[in-house]
Amino acid sequence: MKPEVITGSEVLLRSLLLEGVECVFGYPGGAVLYIYDALYGFSDFHHLLTRHEQGAIHAADGYARASGKVGVCIATSGPGATNLVTGIATAYMDSVPLVVITGNVNQQLIGTDAFQEADITGITMPITKHSYLVRDVKDLARIIHEAFHIANTGRKGPVLIDIPKDVSAAATLFEPEKTMKLRGYNPTIAPNRLQLDKVAAAIKEAERPVILAGGGVVYSGGHEELLDFAEKTEIPVTTTLLGLGGFPSGNRLWMGMPGMHGTYTANNAIQQSDLLICIGARFDDRVTGKLDGFAPKAKIIHIDIDPAEIGKNVHADIPVVGDVKTVLEQLNKLVARAEQADAWRDQVQQWKADKPFKYKDSNDGLKPQWVIEMLNRTTQGAAIVTTDVGQHQMWAAQYYKFNHPRSWITSGGLGTMGFGFPSAIGAQMAHPDRLVISINGDGGMQMCSQELAICAINKIPVKIVVINNQVLGMVRQWQELIYENRYSHIDLSGSPDFVKLAEAYGVKGLRATNKEDAEAVWREAMETPGPVLVEFVVNKNENVYPMVTQGSTIDQMLMGDCE
């Protein structure tokens, strides 16, 4: 490519193309007008205009999670940039690779409290892997190249590039950056062989081993290696909320999800294990429950690419720093069947048979668990499912069966309401030929419903499910069980008619209040090209069980209907 003189805005667009970007989500404003002027008539990648900056970054996040590529979004300075903060924190907590591009005021105005000025690099410093304020247009191509590398290597995460308006307007000789020189940034990929030998020896001696697999398995592309590892050793596997799909739910060794709303089998297995092999998970409090009572009999092996996570919450007897896929590839050459664990395998299978997820079904009205089971049955578990946050999220994690990675997209660490629907739009843009289902509560759906417009305009065929219980369900559940039925400010009964709301945006809306109608409207939704919103009206008093309350160990479960 012959070097030529172009503007910073054109450098940005060409650099994004060189990084393989196919879709960008954004919302224009004054500080990014030169960038959007360069986008006029530009067709080499798709730009999707969302209706809110938070919708843009959640869509970029869903795109990244579904595709394994870096998600990209653009917003203007000031309020445009600050509207991205929740989405940046969401991606940071869940290790999602994003490059977030913001505009800023001209450099001579920085620090003067100019119109729509905000120190977005300062604001987001704790929630980004790295951030750049571009001072010289000559540095822009290099910075973009570095940003993509940082976002998508090591422990993945969001990187912010703040571009002052005069930088986007300035001209420079464009020479694509081909080398990568980042002093001090060298993530450990290959593990220490001595540590792997210790892991193999511990497995050989274990009588009650358990594998706890997290989102790192999915993000590293290590799902096949995990399956191989589990089947070679015949160790039972539990997958965290973000690890769902990283191990096939139909496999005999899978015990379900652990933690606050996990399975009886997974929680008891962890608590009674003598060897816990944590792979690409960070011992979040929703998994561990009461920390000083977590896995009290177990030797802990912790495999993670981020050395800062090892020993942070739970002491690791055998730490292994490295990329999960690489570590498992090497471990699989060393390990064999855990010979001393036969009685343990029988015990785990007995727990699975005796204590599956249960709920009291009813033919009067709809149970939310039944709705999720119907979605699973009618799609054969083959959809990409995104959720918002709350009870519906836990029911989806419990009752939809995931057998493939990157088919489950949810906000785990931050628990961001409003994430579910925009992330589904991003997932659908990543996989236009796949069925994408967005499962939402009636609370979270109202935090992002404006994005119905872009589904209608762009004919994005997401099937939008609203589990409507007319209440902030998870808050209500806590207030019932922990706060002695003091229901404080949780009533959502004044919410809009979701069918009319969908129709107002040009999206087909359907509603069901009983099983027969539910089967019919869902069939109609599946047969309808383009986006469809389906509202399932359910009882507001339904709780998610099992449940581990704060301050309890994970085997101290309230079983509710599971008894």
Side-chain angles (χ1 to χ4, degrees):
M1 184 185 295
K2 184 179 178 181
E4 58 181 307
V5 175
I6 58 176
T7 67
S9 297
E10 292 168 317
V11 169
L12 171 64
L13 301 190
R14 293 198 191 183
S15 297
L16 293 179
L17 280 177
L18 289 172
E19 293 295 339
V21 170
E22 297 171 341
C23 186
V24 171
F25 305 86
Y27 202 98
V32 289
L33 281 180
Y34 286 114
I35 294 170
Y36 274 85
D37 188 51
L39 274 167
Y40 182 77
F42 187 86
S43 59
D44 288 344
F45 59 70
H46 190 79
H47 177 281
L48 198 67
L49 172 65
T50 59
R51 293 302 182 263
H52 192 290
E53 291 90 354
Q54 192 164 329
I57 192 162
H58 290 331
D61 184 315
Y63 179 93
R65 295 191 204 220
S67 67
K69 302 174 183 177
V70 178
V72 181
C73 65
I74 302 175
T76 193
S77 63
T82 57
N83 277 343
L84 299 174
V85 169
T86 298
I88 295 171
T90 300
Y92 184 76
M93 287 283 278
D94 288 352
S95 305
V96 178
L98 298 182
V99 168
V100 180
I101 298 158
T102 55
N104 211 328
V105 298
N106 288 335
Q107 289 187 78
Q108 67 267 27
L109 294 176
I110 289 177
T112 69
D113 293 331
F115 177 68
Q116 291 193 333
E117 182 197 353
D119 177 13
I120 195 63
T121 54
I123 290 167
T124 60
M125 188 175 291
I127 53 170
T128 51
K129 269 192 84 174
H130 194 63
S131 58
Y132 295 91
L133 173 59
V134 186
R135 294 286 192 176
D136 190 330
V137 70
K138 295 174 184 175
D139 297 327
L140 186 55
R142 171 185 58 79
I143 285 171
I144 294 165
H145 190 43
E146 288 180 4
F148 275 82
H149 176 70
I150 294 169
N152 208 29
T153 55
R155 180 177 179 174
K156 302 174 194 292
V159 176
L160 183 132
I161 306 173
D162 195 32
I163 307 175
K165 192 171 184 180
D166 54 313
V167 172
S168 63
T172 188
L173 188 68
F174 178 56
E175 296 180 276
E177 193 71 31
K178 295 177 182 176
T179 59
M180 185 62 59
K181 300 173 185 174
L182 289 174
R183 193 172 73 178
Y185 180 72
N186 296 295
T188 300
I189 304 301
N192 183 301
R193 172 57 193 265
L194 292 176
Q195 296 302 95
L196 299 188
D197 290 338
K198 291 178 185 177
V199 173
I203 290 171
K204 193 173 182 180
E205 296 169 3
E207 295 180 359
R208 300 184 307 280
V210 167
I211 294 168
L212 170 64
V217 171
V218 176
Y219 300 150
S220 71
H223 52 284
E224 292 180 355
E225 288 75 15
L226 174 63
L227 179 60
D228 192 20
F229 178 68
E231 293 194 328
K232 277 188 171 179
T233 58
E234 291 192 30
I235 297 176
V237 178
T238 176
T239 45
T240 68
L241 181 70
L242 292 183
L244 292 175
F247 191 81
S249 65
N251 190 287
R252 72 193 190 288
L253 293 169
W254 190 63
M255 299 184 290
M257 182 177 71
M260 179 174 281
H261 296 294
T263 66
Y264 179 92
T265 303
N267 284 352
N268 275 284
I270 288 172
Q271 291 301 89
Q272 296 189 30
S273 66
D274 65 355
L275 180 68
L276 181 60
I277 307 169
C278 179
I279 306 173
R282 58 187 179 84
F283 292 117
D284 177 78
D285 62 286
R286 286 297 195 262
V287 168
T288 64
K290 185 181 178 183
L291 257 180
D292 59 10
F294 176 73
K297 305 169 186 176
K299 176 184 285 188
I300 307 290
I301 296 168
H302 195 172
I303 301 167
D304 204 288
I305 197 161
D306 185 358
E309 287 297 342
I310 295 178
K312 186 180 84 174
N313 295 328
V314 173
H315 171 74
D317 298 288
I318 305 175
V320 181
V321 178
D323 171 69
V324 163
K325 180 181 174 73
T326 305
V327 172
L328 289 175
E329 282 175 344
Q330 295 187 23
L331 262 182
N332 286 336
K333 299 172 185 176
L334 304 174
V335 297
R337 186 174 185 272
E339 293 289 354
Q340 300 186 53
D342 284 342
W344 176 242
R345 294 181 188 96
D346 292 340
Q347 174 66 79
V348 167
Q349 293 303 322
Q350 191 63 53
W351 282 332
K352 284 174 67 175
D354 291 346
K355 298 282 188 177
F357 285 131
K358 288 182 185 176
Y359 63 96
K360 292 178 182 175
D361 198 7
S362 170
N363 288 320
D364 298 326
L366 283 175
K367 289 278 187 160
Q369 303 95 323
W370 181 90
V371 172
I372 305 299
E373 286 184 323
M374 181 198 69
L375 300 181
N376 181 65
R377 169 171 47 84
T378 55
T379 61
Q380 278 125 21
I384 295 174
V385 174
T386 79
T387 77
D388 212 83
V389 171
Q391 286 182 312
H392 70 276
Q393 176 191 31
M394 294 298 106
W395 284 317
Q398 290 177 339
Y399 290 97
Y400 200 95
K401 301 306 177 187
F402 299 94
N403 288 305
H404 304 285
R406 302 194 180 279
S407 56
W408 166 251
I409 295 169
T410 196
S411 172
L414 200 64
T416 303
M417 289 180 69
F419 171 84
F421 175 38
S423 68
I425 293 169
Q428 190 76 80
M429 295 301 290
H431 296 285
D433 298 325
R434 292 277 303 275
L435 171 64
V436 177
I437 303 173
S438 174
I439 303 176
N440 308 271
D442 48 319
M445 188 65 205
Q446 292 181 78
M447 294 189 179
C448 58
S449 59
Q450 70 280 348
E451 306 307 336
L452 284 163
I454 65 172
C455 280
I457 292 165
N458 296 282
K459 297 181 172 57
I460 300 170
V462 175
K463 307 307 177 189
I464 307 147
V465 170
V466 179
I467 306 290
N468 187 358
N469 58 5
Q470 300 184 56
V471 72
L472 285 170
M474 192 60 87
V475 181
R476 186 209 60 77
Q477 177 168 335
W478 279 56
Q479 289 177 347
E480 174 192 333
L481 299 175
I482 302 170
Y483 295 88
E484 299 175 342
N485 298 305
R486 292 189 293 275
Y487 298 120
S488 178
H489 301 284
I490 54 168
D491 184 7
L492 296 181
S493 59
S495 298
D497 181 322
F498 286 102
V499 172
K500 288 182 179 177
L501 181 66
E503 290 171 346
Y505 279 106
V507 172
K508 186 172 190 173
L510 301 166
R511 178 183 294 114
T513 58
N514 58 56
K515 287 183 177 180
E516 184 180 354
D517 289 348
E519 297 270 11
V521 298
W522 181 244
R523 192 180 314 114
E524 184 177 348
M526 295 276 281
E527 292 171 354
T528 301
V532 182
L533 183 147
V534 185
E535 177 188 11
F536 296 99
V537 180
V538 301
N539 189 305
K540 72 177 180 181
N541 294 315
E542 198 70 20
N543 287 335
V544 180
Y545 290 114
M547 179 181 177
V548 178
T549 57
Q550 286 187 318
S552 301
T553 56
I554 58 171
D555 54 352
Q556 296 174 321
M557 291 168 274
L558 301 177
M559 296 301 291
D561 294 345
C562 292
E563 288 288 7

